[in-house]
Amino acid sequence: EKSATPREKSATPREKSATPRNMTTTPLEMNTSPRDKTASPRERSRTSSAESVSTVEKPSQDGAATTPPPGSSQEIEEPAPVIKPKKTVGVCATCKENIIGHENGCKALGSLYHVTCFTCSKCNDPLVKKPFYHTDGVIYCEECYLDTLEKCEVCNTHIKERILKAVDKQYHPECFKCTDCAACLDGVPFTVDTNSNVLCVSCYNKKFAYRCAACSQLIVSEDGAETYRIIAMDKDFHVACYKCQVCDAKFSNEEGQGCYPLEEKLLCHAHFKELSAA
């Protein structure tokens, strides 16, 4: 106390009444504005102690306390921020190097990659946050993947999903249609004419099937079974229609049971003799 300077003696009662609790006041309380003049005695005491934080006395080298000159301020130095090292999140599946920091890595196909390593195998464009395709162990961007696909013979666009192959060509299933009636031929029988036109069986038969001279119906296969036709008098007949037009007796290769044409009619031997004698 004997070595106290005159400045210490002139300390105001508010400084003496500061409690240790106010020494830890946050910066928000230190910035009390002048309008706090109307505060109650208890509030004023807190304000004074808040101001005293910036004038804490420091002991001198000889043990005496020193006080900053009036009006001076002391800046509280903040500690430098501690920069924590970024965490290793895994090993890149492409380059086999460590991936440092989450922002430098990505996950795809069940593996981890550097953002710079996860690229299109053909054009090397980065694929992070972009659609990509994985086929036969190769990763493609969308554009390069489409270039690997076959094009439809009809619409000339890439076939992205199911492909239909017929007559050594590729089609979208919905594009493979009959040339005449436009019926879809996906999963149904079809045939091709001499001009390589794809036709359904019905349209093919209408254009190319033989017509029976007896019943006037087309001679076509039923349920995919093999079809036979009989040619007689330069005409075509169903096997079932090849019979006598008088008694319906069927013709055969046996003696006396063959066909005996008379005046454009198919006759058995008996009716041939009867009508030719008349």
Side-chain angles (χ1 to χ4, degrees):
E1 289 179 355
K2 290 182 180 180
S3 61
T5 63
R7 290 198 192 99
E8 289 178 319
K9 291 182 179 180
S10 63
T12 62
R14 283 179 292 180
E15 291 174 327
K16 292 181 178 180
S17 62
T19 61
R21 181 163 52 96
N22 296 82
M23 296 294 289
T24 59
T25 307
T26 62
L28 278 177
E29 293 178 344
M30 293 174 65
N31 294 330
T32 306
S33 61
R35 58 186 174 183
D36 288 333
K37 292 180 179 179
T38 58
S40 63
R42 190 173 188 181
E43 291 173 336
R44 288 181 180 177
S45 174
R46 289 188 177 181
T47 303
S48 299
S49 62
E51 295 172 351
S52 65
V53 171
S54 61
T55 59
V56 177
E57 298 176 356
K58 298 182 180 179
S60 61
Q61 294 180 354
D62 57 358
T66 59
T67 304
S72 64
S73 61
Q74 292 183 349
E75 294 182 358
I76 301 176
E77 295 183 359
E78 296 183 358
V82 178
I83 301 176
K84 296 182 179 179
K86 293 185 178 180
K87 184 180 179 182
T88 300
V89 297
V91 177
C92 177
T94 299
C95 68
K96 309 304 180 184
E97 297 291 337
N98 288 332
I99 302 171
I100 310 300
H102 289 84
E103 69 279 6
N104 295 319
C106 62
K107 186 175 183 180
L109 306 173
S111 300
L112 296 175
Y113 299 86
H114 285 110
V115 171
T116 54
C117 289
F118 190 63
T119 59
C120 173
S121 300
K122 187 175 181 180
C123 68
N124 292 323
D125 280 354
L127 297 177
V128 177
K129 297 182 180 180
K130 293 181 180 179
F132 68 93
Y133 295 82
H134 182 245
T135 176
D136 298 329
V138 182
I139 300 173
Y140 296 101
C141 65
E142 187 170 18
E143 184 176 353
C144 291
Y145 172 73
L146 293 178
D147 289 340
T148 67
L149 302 180
E150 297 171 302
K151 289 188 177 182
C152 176
E153 183 69 22
V154 176
C155 66
N156 199 37
T157 60
H158 291 106
I159 304 174
K160 298 180 182 179
E161 298 179 2
R162 190 164 66 95
I163 185 173
L164 188 152
K165 293 188 176 183
V167 293
D168 297 326
K169 297 177 182 178
Q170 297 77 35
Y171 302 85
H172 290 108
E174 62 274 15
C175 291
F176 188 59
K177 299 178 180 180
C178 173
T179 305
D180 282 9
C181 69
C184 182
L185 300 178
D186 181 20
V188 299
F190 68 94
T191 187
V192 179
D193 65 12
T194 55
N195 295 321
S196 299
N197 293 317
V198 178
L199 300 169
C200 65
V201 174
S202 177
C203 288
Y204 179 85
N205 289 336
K206 289 177 183 178
K207 294 178 69 174
F208 302 107
Y210 296 97
R211 194 172 293 275
C212 179
C215 68
S216 300
Q217 299 298 315
L218 295 174
I219 303 174
V220 296
S221 173
E222 295 181 2
D223 299 329
E226 192 173 3
T227 302
Y228 296 92
R229 66 186 175 96
I230 297 176
I231 302 173
M233 300 182 299
D234 294 328
K235 296 180 181 180
D236 301 302
F237 297 89
H238 288 107
V239 173
C241 293
Y242 188 59
K243 58 187 177 180
C244 177
Q245 293 178 318
V246 176
C247 66
D248 290 337
K250 291 186 177 181
F251 303 130
S252 69
N253 293 328
E254 296 181 9
E255 186 178 353
Q257 295 183 5
C259 175
Y260 295 84
L262 178 65
E263 298 178 357
E264 301 296 324
K265 290 183 179 181
L266 302 180
L267 299 173
C268 64
H269 184 258
H271 285 101
F272 174 78
K273 291 175 62 177
E274 180 182 338
L275 294 176
S276 59

